[in-house]
Amino acid sequence: MSRIGKHPVPVPAGVDVSVNGQQVSAKGKLGSLSLTLIDDITAKLEDGKVVVAPANDSKRARIMWATSRTLINNMVTGVNQGFTINLEINGVGYRAAVQGKELVMQLGYSHDVKYPIPEGITIKCDKPTAISVSGFDKQKVGQVAAEIRGWKKPEPYKGKGIKYDTETIIRKEGKKK
């Protein structure tokens, strides 16, 4: 069984973390985030570290202990460094570009796909076949990247579509005569 919850979350210089009852807030150079913990979890700030502990011995408290610790760690890391997910576009004629507050993608449909960029997220297209999604909220960055990928998921026969740069597409063999 994992014991991630036992490790305190270190607070780097330049990040202000405040614990007010069940409310944990982190403020850094990239922005500010807050999290409300469930009643079964307690958090306190001790000499530059956030210590998360279960309030009682219930099963729910043990389940949410490491989850709460990881969410706090993601908040502290996000406001300090931020998160980035890179996407790759494969396919003839498939490309993307940022125009104003929209990501415009040509994905083989009869029309261009226009994706409005949400608040707090930065999208860059250094090449027409590379998309970089970044921001300070890990959940929001992952959600935006998943929504962009959802417009044209990679298919296993030719590998066409939008995929994460860390993703490996397992290719299938085509029809045989």
Side-chain angles (χ1 to χ4, degrees):
M1 184 180 219
S2 175
R3 294 286 177 226
I4 295 171
K6 288 186 176 183
H7 303 291
V9 178
V11 179
V15 177
D16 297 326
V17 175
S18 63
V19 179
N20 187 7
Q22 297 302 98
Q23 191 75 22
V24 180
S25 302
K27 188 175 183 182
K29 61 184 176 191
L30 297 179
S32 62
L33 292 169
S34 65
L35 170 72
T36 304
L37 299 174
I38 64 169
D39 294 333
D40 296 336
I41 302 296
T42 60
K44 55 186 174 256
L45 198 58
E46 292 179 355
D47 48 276
K49 295 180 180 178
V50 180
V51 179
V52 181
N56 52 41
D57 200 28
S58 68
K59 185 174 182 179
R60 183 168 184 238
R62 286 181 283 132
I63 289 170
M64 295 302 291
W65 182 16
T67 302
S68 301
R69 187 257 179 217
T70 304
L71 290 173
I72 293 170
N73 187 45
N74 288 343
M75 280 186 357
V76 170
T77 306
V79 297
N80 189 33
Q81 300 170 351
F83 296 99
T84 302
I85 294 179
N86 296 315
L87 300 165
E88 294 176 0
I89 302 175
N90 295 322
V92 177
Y94 289 15
R95 58 185 169 270
V98 177
Q99 295 176 354
K101 290 274 189 188
E102 284 185 330
L103 175 68
V104 179
M105 299 175 283
Q106 295 169 344
L107 301 172
Y109 298 123
S110 61
H111 59 283
D112 290 350
V113 175
K114 295 181 180 179
Y115 183 79
I117 300 172
E119 198 68 35
I121 297 293
T122 307
I123 296 180
K124 293 180 189 165
C125 291
D126 296 331
K127 297 187 293 185
T129 59
I131 302 171
S132 177
V133 181
S134 58
F136 59 87
D137 188 353
K138 187 172 187 176
Q139 189 275 331
K140 198 181 240 187
V141 169
Q143 181 67 36
V144 168
E147 287 173 5
I148 292 171
R149 182 182 180 271
W151 281 104
K152 196 75 162 185
K153 290 183 181 170
E155 53 95 15
Y157 294 100
K158 291 185 178 179
K160 293 167 61 172
I162 303 173
K163 70 177 191 78
Y164 299 112
D165 66 340
T166 57
E167 185 178 10
T168 303
I169 304 302
I170 297 173
R171 302 293 291 273
K172 290 184 179 178
E173 193 174 348
K175 286 198 283 185
K176 292 184 179 177
K177 281 192 164 188

